[in-house]
Amino acid sequence: MSLSLSACFEASAVGGMDALFKRAEGEGPGGVSLWAGTSARTSRGEGGRVVLVGAGPGDPDLLTVRAARLIAQAQVVVVDHLVGEGVLALIPAQARRYYVGKESGHHTLPQEEINRLLVDLALDGHEVLRLKGGDPFVFGRGGEELEALIDAHIPFEVVPGITAACGVSAYAGIPLTHRDHAQSVMFATGHRRAGASELDWVALARPRQTTVIYMGVGMLEAHCAALIAHGRGASTPAALIENGTTPRQRVVCGTLETLPERARQAGVRPPALLIVGEVVDLAERMAWFTGATVG
């Protein structure tokens, strides 16, 4: 059955997070089921598959039409921490939900167990909606999950989403490229595998470029210092955007030198995105989203 986009939203209207999830012992944030290591069904079925869906940066209006349709029809959903509340509200009330979110310093499940959950659910014959914030292939570990599905011969589909860098920057009034200020843009993540090498700061600090660092709040001061040490001027404009594209969005602007202290004073917490480059100076003129405040 095919649903129109408007029907998806109308059919999924829910009054708040408490009404969205039933609460029970052993459940995760918002009452989403935690996986205990085995799927609910005991017999292996046929026809299971996994659909990897990008939920965008938070605002449910930024979902693709296909993502909205799939969410509205979902029966089994495996959901990440960074999926917006408005997107969660579109999941049918009867759908079985598994929360596998990762927050700084706390992972509900290690990635290997998430991979195994997806495989087990699909082998049990379920159509599994794997819902990820942003785009599954941009710092979403979607590639790792697909490798596990391929190894287990599980059919899959990928539905891209608006990645945080594009959605959050647009809602903050910061164009990632501009003919007068930035001819290229580079994405990096503040989270790395244990023991992994440092970021390529020489590349990230190039002039006339916009640099976007995901998940960098905890290391903000170190990131700003590294960019300065590798050639970016201390006066280079920089912004930290918290809860981008949602009504709780806050934009804190400064320079590589001043931003860490301004962010501390503002009490910025994850999720937040760091944008560095001359394009940040356009934010005050171009800010349009009513939830944004430019500091």
Side-chain angles (χ1 to χ4, degrees):
M1 179 179 65
S2 178
L3 296 177
S4 68
L5 182 59
S6 60
C8 289
F9 282 80
E10 290 170 5
S12 305
V14 178
M17 292 297 287
D18 286 340
L20 178 59
F21 296 124
K22 293 180 180 179
R23 298 185 178 276
E25 290 184 4
E27 293 183 340
V32 188
S33 300
L34 294 177
W35 185 49
T38 58
S39 54
R41 294 174 58 184
T42 56
S43 61
R44 295 303 187 190
E46 297 293 333
R49 72 178 191 130
V50 176
V51 184
L52 199 61
V53 174
D59 184 345
D61 284 345
L62 297 180
L63 287 168
T64 65
V65 173
R66 177 143 185 79
R69 286 175 176 161
L70 289 168
I71 292 169
Q73 298 169 359
Q75 296 181 354
V76 177
V77 184
V78 179
V79 63
D80 274 352
H81 172 63
L82 291 177
V83 176
E85 292 180 7
V87 176
L88 293 175
L90 302 177
I91 301 172
Q94 70 273 17
R96 186 192 308 171
R97 300 164 175 83
Y98 296 86
Y99 177 80
V100 296
K102 299 183 181 72
E103 302 176 56
S104 181
H106 175 69
H107 289 188
T108 304
L109 288 178
Q111 186 63 49
E112 293 74 15
E113 293 298 303
I114 296 173
N115 297 348
R116 188 156 67 93
L117 170 63
L118 296 174
V119 169
D120 275 3
L121 289 171
L123 287 175
D124 278 349
H126 294 295
E127 172 110 357
V128 182
L129 182 74
R130 176 64 171 115
L131 197 56
K132 289 177 165 290
D135 181 90
F137 283 178
V138 181
F139 306 126
R141 304 185 77 165
E144 296 175 45
E145 294 177 5
L146 288 195
E147 287 179 321
L149 297 175
I150 291 168
D151 289 343
H153 307 289
I154 303 295
F156 61 85
E157 177 186 344
V158 182
V159 179
I162 295 177
T163 188
C166 297
V168 170
S169 63
Y171 273 51
I174 301 173
L176 293 179
T177 63
H178 189 289
R179 285 195 302 173
D180 295 333
H181 304 295
Q183 285 72 52
S184 63
V185 59
M186 180 170 283
F187 299 163
T189 176
H191 286 184
R192 303 184 302 278
R193 284 182 182 270
S197 61
E198 290 291 328
L199 294 174
D200 186 351
W201 292 112
V202 173
L204 292 171
R206 288 173 183 152
R208 301 187 67 78
Q209 165 181 285
T210 303
T211 297
V212 181
I213 300 181
Y214 288 63
M215 301 174 286
V217 176
M219 297 289 291
L220 177 61
E221 187 169 2
H223 290 159
C224 290
L227 287 167
I228 293 171
H230 288 84
R232 270 295 207 176
S235 61
T236 301
L240 200 63
I241 301 101
E242 177 187 67
N243 291 311
T245 79
T246 77
R248 300 191 303 278
Q249 174 176 300
R250 291 195 298 164
V251 181
V252 180
C253 292
T255 65
L256 286 176
E257 184 175 41
T258 65
L259 185 62
E261 180 58 30
R262 290 190 178 187
R264 274 194 295 271
Q265 291 177 357
V268 175
R269 297 177 59 83
L273 194 76
L274 173 63
I275 302 179
V276 178
E278 285 69 20
V279 290
V280 171
D281 275 343
L282 301 173
E284 189 168 5
R285 293 182 61 199
M286 295 187 177
W288 60 271
F289 180 53
T290 56
T293 57
V294 179

